[in-house]
Amino acid sequence: TTQNKSKAQIYFAQKDIFGLKMKYHNNIWVVMMTIVYLTSVVRAAWYLDQKKVILVDYNSTTNHFLFRGNEPKIIDNTTGSDVFAYELLVEYLANASLARNISLPSSYQLSDIKYVYTTIDPWEKKDILLETDYFTAHPSIGSFTVHTIDGDFVDPFELSEDERNERAKILTTWQHDDLPEYIPYLHSLVSNSSSSQPQVIYFHCECGCDRTGEVAGSYAMKYLGKTYQEVIEWDDTIAGRHILDNHRFAIQWYCLYLNLVEDGFDFPCQ
């Protein structure tokens, strides 16, 4: 969190250097509040959904799995309350693996990573508590962590090519989500051979659409040989709509970074 705050400070301090349009900065909190409003309005649809639980990556050497999905909760028919859907999640993870002709081990450690916005809406706080309480009560099944993913509020293609490229080259110095650092970290969880027990990493937000789509799309570009256009189509199909602009912008910035800074990448970013 401290690191993210410092990056945000750098971001705004550099706005004049890069000639960024002030309308984006003036409206940033309006956009964030709109997102919070949307999460509150459609939250009823965000119960665990098999269609959104997808195997993203699998390492046959380490026997570690990486899945994307949505909020792993269901309604308890007895109490009418939301509960953490561990058994159903295990079933859906196995189904998603079989869809790729891969068998999920019967025993593994589950790493549940929940993506939240810096400004967390009240309903999402309830879901964080739901997951926290479950893993606290059942520590043997794995771990639960919360990670902020906000996206970017500047369309890179609103800038001149020189400004865009200059900014993309130093993405890791200013981007709040720091995809150049976070995506390799996520990959390391799958490729790390230090654990003898199979690891299942399940990352999600509420809908499994926007924050999740940003991370999954970026990961697919970096490690799965997918183009920007392919990952956007993938994300939009899963969401059933276009993902939010701030997350699409973040994927575009990361696409530009890969093209300009890392070897082996050369594809259109819009």
Side-chain angles (χ1 to χ4, degrees):
T1 302
T2 302
Q3 183 185 24
N4 284 341
K5 286 182 179 178
S6 64
K7 286 181 180 295
Q9 290 166 355
I10 293 171
Y11 175 86
F12 287 107
Q14 290 180 341
K15 66 181 182 295
D16 293 327
I17 298 174
F18 290 96
L20 301 180
K21 296 184 178 179
M22 285 303 296
K23 65 178 181 179
Y24 293 105
H25 304 122
N26 293 338
N27 291 332
I28 187 170
W29 293 114
V30 174
V31 174
M32 287 301 297
M33 290 301 103
T34 301
I35 293 169
V36 169
Y37 170 76
L38 287 172
T39 63
S40 300
V41 170
V42 298
R43 60 177 292 274
W46 290 347
Y47 291 92
L48 188 60
D49 185 347
Q50 176 73 87
K51 296 189 296 296
K52 292 180 177 178
V53 179
I54 296 169
L55 178 60
V56 175
D57 200 7
Y58 167 64
N59 188 308
S60 59
T61 301
T62 62
N63 205 23
H64 297 342
F65 297 73
L66 181 68
F67 293 87
R68 66 178 289 174
N70 71 321
E71 180 63 34
K73 68 179 180 181
I74 55 174
I75 298 176
D76 185 288
N77 291 329
T78 302
T79 65
S81 301
D82 292 346
V83 295
F84 184 74
Y86 179 70
E87 290 79 10
L88 189 61
L89 177 61
V90 168
E91 176 186 335
Y92 285 0
L93 293 172
N95 292 342
S97 298
L98 287 175
R100 293 267 302 273
N101 296 315
I102 300 171
S103 295
L104 193 69
S106 58
S107 177
Y108 52 80
Q109 283 286 293
L110 175 64
S111 296
D112 179 351
I113 305 173
K114 180 175 177 61
Y115 297 136
V116 300
Y117 288 120
T118 299
T119 304
I120 304 174
D121 84 85
W123 292 113
E124 196 159 21
K125 288 182 179 179
K126 293 182 180 180
D127 290 338
I128 293 171
L129 185 61
L130 195 72
E131 294 181 75
T132 300
D133 287 348
Y134 189 89
F135 280 88
T136 300
H138 305 85
S140 63
I141 69 171
S143 61
F144 171 64
T145 56
V146 174
H147 185 85
T148 59
I149 293 289
D150 286 334
D152 290 314
F153 294 89
V154 176
D155 181 346
F157 291 92
E158 287 286 332
L159 307 178
S160 70
E161 183 177 1
D162 288 344
E163 290 173 323
R164 179 169 63 247
N165 290 346
E166 184 179 0
R167 188 164 178 76
K169 287 176 183 178
I170 60 168
L171 188 63
T172 194
T173 69
W174 62 264
Q175 189 183 50
H176 176 278
D177 300 344
D178 200 355
L179 296 174
E181 292 290 332
Y182 184 69
I183 298 304
Y185 163 75
L186 202 59
H187 183 256
S188 74
L189 299 180
V190 183
S191 59
N192 188 345
S193 59
S194 62
S195 174
S196 59
Q197 187 175 13
Q199 303 291 309
V200 169
I201 299 95
Y202 179 74
F203 66 85
H204 66 92
C205 49
E206 289 284 313
C207 174
C209 305
D210 304 294
R211 290 164 286 190
T212 300
E214 175 187 328
V215 173
S218 298
Y219 187 98
M221 286 194 301
K222 168 73 172 171
Y223 292 109
L224 304 180
K226 301 299 183 182
T227 66
Y228 166 77
Q229 190 58 47
E230 287 172 333
V231 302
I232 288 298
E233 290 176 359
W234 182 43
D235 283 343
D236 288 352
T237 298
I238 292 171
R241 55 169 172 77
H242 295 306
I243 65 169
L244 294 173
D245 280 350
N246 52 309
H247 298 291
R248 178 171 58 84
F249 294 161
I251 298 174
Q252 286 180 302
W253 278 114
Y254 187 53
C255 174
L256 291 163
Y257 171 86
L258 291 175
N259 283 345
L260 293 166
V261 177
E262 301 202 3
D263 295 330
F265 297 95
D266 184 19
F267 43 72
C269 298
Q270 67 176 151

